[in-house]
Amino acid sequence: MTCFYGFCYMRIKTLTIIASLLFAVVNGDGEWESAHATFYGDAQGGGTMQGACGYGNLIDQGYGLETTALSNALFNNGSTCGACYEIKCVDSTGCHPDVSIKVTATNVCPPGGEGWCNPPNQHFDLTQPMFLKIAEYKSGIVPVQFRRVSCIKQGGIKFELSGNPNFLLVTVYNVGGVGDVHGMSIKGPDGNWIQMSRNWGQKWQTGEQLVGKSLSFQVTTSDGKMVQSDDVAPSNWEFGKTYEGKQF
């Protein structure tokens, strides 16, 4: 139990419950909220390489151009990476009416510049192709409404392994359900579950020596749901390779 200024809470269970209530994801759809949106890159998407969430090439990893960077107010120090949003342009002559897009959070929109990503603003920086689906290019920035939605992904959760024999770093991506991973555990064939810690974005680490052992994973998302994938990586797994588990 942890206490701050008289308020006490149990870390894991209470935080996941609070997160679930805040996101208000019911049957995959949350409540509509107000924000603004801009775009980056060119007509081909641009900027589809690794960002603040730690993902690799977004095209290769299945995210395509349907992605967004979040302002700090939404990014939540990387814990929102992988969340999915539905966004529509509103109250602007530059809007394409009756059109909405669905995107996955894969990066952060840093403060500075015009200030749209500065706290406490809720802001989405979309790839140019996604922005053009909801608004005119000349608009540059438009008011939008957004809500959390379920992530629909093809195939299972992906685990990319990197590091060295004394340090294992796992990038988890292609996560369905609410999409944002808030807990990871790992286990060899003959041991107990080991809780991993967030390194940054959706990269999770452990100092346990697991080379030469088959690996199983437990992935817990912000709504408290957990998927267990047994023997995802065989005993001869290699650094730099990606392995596929179950899906939400």
Side-chain angles (χ1 to χ4, degrees):
M1 179 175 290
T2 304
C3 297
F4 293 102
Y5 302 104
F7 292 93
C8 299
Y9 57 91
M10 296 295 291
R11 278 186 182 276
I12 298 177
K13 290 185 178 179
T14 305
L15 281 177
T16 53
I17 291 173
I18 291 174
S20 183
L21 290 174
L22 287 174
F23 295 144
V25 179
V26 179
N27 294 325
D29 297 335
E31 298 295 326
W32 289 103
E33 299 182 54
S34 298
H36 284 81
T38 49
F39 66 87
Y40 68 92
D42 53 28
Q44 285 69 48
T48 55
M49 295 300 289
Q50 179 169 290
C53 288
Y55 302 130
N57 186 300
L58 299 177
I59 302 296
D60 293 343
Q61 291 185 340
Y63 292 109
L65 301 177
E66 299 174 346
T67 62
T68 185
L70 305 177
S71 63
N72 282 339
L74 294 169
F75 189 67
N76 197 20
N77 294 319
S79 64
T80 315
C81 289
C84 296
Y85 295 88
E86 183 177 8
I87 302 172
K88 59 184 179 181
C89 182
V90 296
D91 302 327
S92 172
T93 56
C95 290
H96 296 318
D98 303 319
V99 176
S100 68
I101 57 173
K102 292 182 180 180
V103 292
T104 302
T106 58
N107 208 344
V108 67
C109 177
E114 299 296 322
W116 290 106
C117 292
N118 292 353
N121 296 333
Q122 297 190 131
H123 189 85
F124 296 88
D125 197 23
L126 302 164
T127 60
Q128 186 181 135
M130 297 310 291
F131 181 88
L132 295 180
K133 288 181 181 290
I134 61 171
E136 298 289 340
Y137 178 91
K138 63 183 179 181
S139 300
I141 181 168
V142 291
V144 298
Q145 287 188 328
F146 73 95
R147 62 180 178 178
R148 286 284 299 270
V149 294
S150 290
C151 300
I152 308 300
K153 303 300 180 185
Q154 298 296 317
I157 299 172
K158 303 293 181 63
F159 303 90
E160 181 182 342
L161 310 182
S162 59
N164 58 59
N166 299 310
F167 174 76
L168 180 60
L169 189 65
V170 180
T171 305
V172 57
Y173 65 96
N174 199 52
V175 181
V178 293
D180 48 345
V181 177
H182 280 212
M184 279 271 292
S185 295
I186 190 171
K187 185 175 75 69
D190 53 1
N192 297 319
W193 286 104
I194 302 161
Q195 185 173 347
M196 306 181 77
S197 60
R198 188 190 301 274
N199 186 289
W200 59 282
Q202 287 300 0
K203 290 182 177 290
W204 297 79
Q205 68 182 43
T206 180
E208 294 290 327
Q209 297 184 1
L210 295 168
V211 173
K213 300 179 179 180
S214 61
L215 303 178
S216 300
F217 294 97
Q218 289 180 339
V219 176
T220 303
T221 47
S222 63
D223 58 354
K225 293 181 179 179
M226 186 271 286
V227 164
Q228 180 171 316
S229 298
D230 295 322
D231 300 321
V232 171
S235 59
N236 62 344
W237 61 265
E238 300 176 33
F239 293 113
K241 295 292 183 66
T242 299
Y243 302 88
E244 184 173 340
K246 295 180 180 179
Q247 185 60 271
F248 282 91

